[in-house]
Amino acid sequence: MIKRSEIKPLTAIDSTKHHATPLFDALKLYEAQNVTSFDVPGHKRGLDEQSELYYYGRSTLRHDVNSMPQLDNYDNPKGVIKEAQNLLADLYLADEAHFLVNGTTEGIQTMILAVCRPGDKLILPRNVHKSVLNAMALADVTPVYVSPEFDVKFGIAHNLSYDNVKAAIDKHPDARAIFIMNPTYFGAVSDLQAITELAHAHGMPVLVDEAHGAHFRFSPHLPISSMEAGADMAATSLHKTGGSFTQSSALLVQGDLVDKRKVKSVINMLTSTSASYLLMSSLDIARKNLALNGPEKFEQLMISLQKFKQAVNDIPGFHMLDGKAFKDLYHQQLDESKLTIYIDSTIELSGFEVYKLLRSDYSIQMELAEPNLIMGIVSIADNEAVLERLLEALQSISRLHHQAEREVHSPVLKQLSIPEQAMGLREVLYADKYPVNIEDAVGEICAESLMIYPPGIPIVMAGERISQDIVDYWQFINNQPIIKIGTENSNQVYIIEKRGK
């Protein structure tokens, strides 16, 4: 159960210090100096005005620069990059913040490589992002998967319950750390504060994938952010909901359970020595905007979202994932800024068809589609006008495609038990593999992760033993309009080649 209030206290933001954009200001100053370039990049800050690169604008090219004393150095920042990172740390209540130019994927890999040693166990949800699996393979970490709560109606996986995390810790007290999402792709949030307290009582740091939670800091009506909950590290995608450029993210660190020097060492190992100043300066700009305008903008957005969701629920055939019912059923919070829209069977279109129709006929791009739902993401840049446009499109689709006499039913989806882990992820990475027909794979070790969307939980992970249940279920879903990820041929699967074969 969530012990704290559903409405979190919003720690005051000292906006006076956040008017500054030290890195962005340094780039503008450098641009004004009109320096002749005999360094990289090769486009020479847009020297060739006939180049099609000029489509992106003169300032963009002039700010695409390399490290130099006036602009600091990413590997060992002591000047304007460091100042900008310190401001970001202040905003998110972290001890340290590191700019990331390879997305939250880089942050996830950094967290796991900085904390775990070869052979360590990591407690984590079954429905994690593939970057977590890749990081565990690189670090030679043993996964301890915990099944998330499963939503039968919507056909999607949510987050971890406190009780399931506690059971995993009790069974694996030697685990090195706990990895958790805040929130999931669809906005489900565990009781992160209670889980963090539990983990710390066992000496385990908490690592958070906060790719979809960069906005939590700015509204008391949103779930608690990772640093407010006491987590030790969080990879936070400011580009998703905070307004920075795509691929720009941040790694937040606090407390004494993590070696901060090692964190920086791993970041330098994973990051290009030519870190993009365009990406880093966009983080500087987004941080300023969030600090000065975030609370007010998200307050207005939450009011607009409440009206939007009520209106969608009045449209025949469409239903929003409801926060109150969600909490009552799963004892988890819901990020109310996520637009998860269920399409019941009285609409003669699948989620995929509604997704395509919105794009082709209404010029609206949603984030994703599933057989029975569509999902959209809103950010600091959104307003009531864009929500109204989506609402009108859904109303139009309902008028054209709703059939009241159609029977209302939910898709048949189920949650399988977690298979036996027969081989480590790193061992799988280097093992020889070959394809077999799925019906011949029973008892073999899977060489790839097979999953469906929905529910977004892997049926079998790389290194796990393929059971008859897995084969039966995979053959069943082959006949369903569901996205299948992992195998190139849905009737075959790659398995580990046995020695001496």
Side-chain angles (χ1 to χ4, degrees):
M1 292 290 292
I2 296 174
K3 299 179 181 179
R4 60 181 172 76
S5 169
E6 183 176 354
I7 305 299
K8 70 171 184 181
L10 183 64
T11 306
I13 297 171
D14 182 2
S15 61
T16 58
K17 66 178 71 174
H18 286 283
H19 284 82
T21 49
L23 180 55
F24 181 52
D25 290 346
L27 284 168
K28 290 189 291 183
L29 178 60
Y30 179 76
E31 178 188 7
Q33 292 170 345
N34 199 28
V35 174
T36 299
S37 169
F38 284 96
D39 63 346
V40 296
H43 61 68
K44 300 295 183 175
R45 285 71 156 175
L47 193 62
D48 180 6
E49 296 187 13
Q50 303 307 310
S51 169
E52 288 184 305
L53 283 175
Y54 244 79
Y55 174 84
Y56 294 106
R58 182 176 185 274
S59 292
T60 299
L61 294 171
R62 301 284 283 182
H63 286 199
D64 184 25
V65 299
N66 199 28
S67 295
M68 60 189 72
Q70 301 94 323
L71 297 178
D72 208 357
N73 182 281
Y74 180 82
D75 283 358
N76 186 26
K78 296 181 179 179
V80 290
I81 294 177
K82 184 65 175 176
E83 291 176 34
Q85 290 183 150
N86 287 344
L87 285 168
L88 186 63
D90 177 82
L91 180 63
Y92 278 95
L93 306 176
D95 293 343
E96 294 181 356
H98 302 276
F99 288 167
L100 302 175
V101 295
N102 195 29
T104 291
T105 290
E106 180 186 355
I108 287 170
Q109 292 173 341
T110 297
M111 290 191 292
I112 292 174
L113 287 167
V115 167
C116 298
R117 297 178 179 179
D120 279 348
K121 295 179 182 177
L122 179 66
I123 296 173
L124 71 162
R126 183 70 176 172
N127 55 329
V128 291
H129 188 264
K130 67 177 184 178
S131 61
V132 182
L133 306 180
N134 294 336
M136 289 191 294
L138 291 172
D140 196 16
V141 167
T142 300
V144 176
Y145 296 117
V146 180
S147 294
E149 298 296 305
F150 182 70
D151 191 321
V152 175
K153 176 181 177 181
F154 279 72
I156 56 178
H158 294 312
N159 221 316
L160 300 183
S161 70
Y162 175 89
D163 290 341
N164 283 350
V165 173
K166 184 178 184 304
I169 292 176
D170 290 343
K171 188 174 181 180
H172 301 276
D174 57 337
R176 179 68 184 91
I178 292 176
F179 185 95
I180 196 164
M181 293 178 287
N182 191 53
T184 64
Y185 202 3
F186 292 96
V189 175
S190 298
D191 190 349
L192 182 58
Q193 191 169 13
I195 289 173
T196 298
E197 291 170 0
L198 175 67
H200 287 173
H202 289 78
M204 300 177 187
V206 176
L207 319 178
V208 181
D209 174 356
E210 203 166 48
H212 289 270
H215 55 299
F216 284 2
R217 173 81 174 94
F218 305 100
S219 172
H221 304 287
L222 292 170
I224 197 166
S225 68
S226 56
M227 294 294 103
E228 290 173 296
D232 301 273
M233 284 199 286
T236 303
S237 293
L238 273 81
H239 74 88
K240 284 185 168 67
T241 55
S244 63
F245 285 158
T246 295
Q247 201 171 310
S248 61
S249 186
L251 182 62
L252 309 174
V253 189
Q254 70 176 350
D256 300 322
L257 288 179
V258 173
D259 183 343
K260 296 183 177 68
R261 288 175 60 89
K262 187 173 183 182
V263 169
K264 181 56 181 172
S265 176
V266 174
I267 288 175
N268 286 345
M269 180 178 70
L270 298 176
T271 305
S272 167
T273 54
S274 302
S276 168
Y277 275 84
L278 290 172
L279 296 182
M280 291 190 289
S281 63
S282 79
L283 288 166
D284 199 20
I285 295 167
R287 183 267 315 154
K288 175 184 177 179
N289 187 33
L290 286 166
L292 301 186
N293 305 311
E296 180 181 354
K297 285 195 172 185
F298 278 106
E299 182 67 23
Q300 294 171 350
L301 184 59
M302 297 307 293
I303 294 171
S304 299
L305 282 168
Q306 186 176 21
K307 292 192 295 184
F308 171 82
K309 292 184 177 185
Q310 290 172 346
V312 170
N313 286 333
D314 290 334
I315 302 175
F318 292 103
H319 315 279
M320 298 294 303
L321 190 58
D322 178 69
K324 184 180 183 303
F326 182 83
K327 182 180 178 183
D328 292 341
L329 189 58
Y330 300 106
H331 308 300
Q332 296 178 15
Q333 268 192 287
L334 185 67
D335 174 9
E336 296 283 4
S337 71
K338 282 285 176 69
L339 305 180
T340 303
I341 304 172
Y342 180 75
I343 304 160
D344 72 29
S345 53
T346 63
I347 299 288
E348 59 180 357
L349 303 173
S350 69
F352 302 118
E353 291 169 321
V354 172
Y355 173 92
K356 292 177 182 177
L357 194 61
L358 284 169
R359 182 66 183 87
S360 63
D361 290 18
Y362 302 91
S363 295
I364 293 174
Q365 182 64 58
M366 300 301 286
E367 173 71 7
L368 63 79
E370 308 295 356
N372 59 323
L373 62 84
I374 54 174
M375 192 266 278
I377 293 175
V378 297
S379 76
I380 190 171
D382 283 306
N383 54 44
E384 189 167 353
V386 296
L387 290 171
E388 183 65 26
R389 187 175 177 186
L390 175 57
L391 179 65
E392 290 174 355
L394 295 175
Q395 290 169 334
S396 173
I397 290 172
S398 179
R399 285 194 297 270
L400 294 170
H401 299 281
H402 178 257
Q403 297 182 5
E405 68 277 8
R406 286 170 64 99
E407 181 183 355
V408 177
H409 60 84
S410 297
V412 180
L413 296 167
K414 69 177 185 177
Q415 186 172 13
L416 296 175
S417 59
I418 296 175
E420 172 200 352
Q421 185 77 35
M423 182 181 286
L425 289 165
R426 184 176 178 83
E427 192 177 1
V428 172
L429 181 65
Y430 293 105
D432 293 327
K433 311 164 181 73
Y434 69 100
V436 298
N437 291 331
I438 187 71
E439 62 267 21
D440 298 326
V442 176
E444 301 288 354
I445 299 173
C446 196
E448 56 191 342
S449 295
L450 305 183
M451 58 191 76
I452 60 170
Y453 283 83
I457 306 172
I459 296 172
V460 59
M461 293 279 200
E464 292 178 339
R465 185 88 58 189
I466 299 173
S467 67
Q468 186 64 54
D469 281 347
I470 291 169
V471 171
D472 292 343
Y473 192 50
W474 189 256
Q475 290 177 323
F476 164 73
I477 65 169
N478 268 338
N479 297 319
Q480 309 303 316
I482 295 174
I483 295 176
K484 294 167 279 291
I485 294 179
T487 182
E488 297 174 3
N489 183 332
S490 60
N491 294 314
Q492 289 187 325
V493 61
Y494 274 83
I495 62 173
I496 300 299
E497 186 170 6
K498 297 175 183 176
R499 292 176 181 174
K501 181 176 174 61

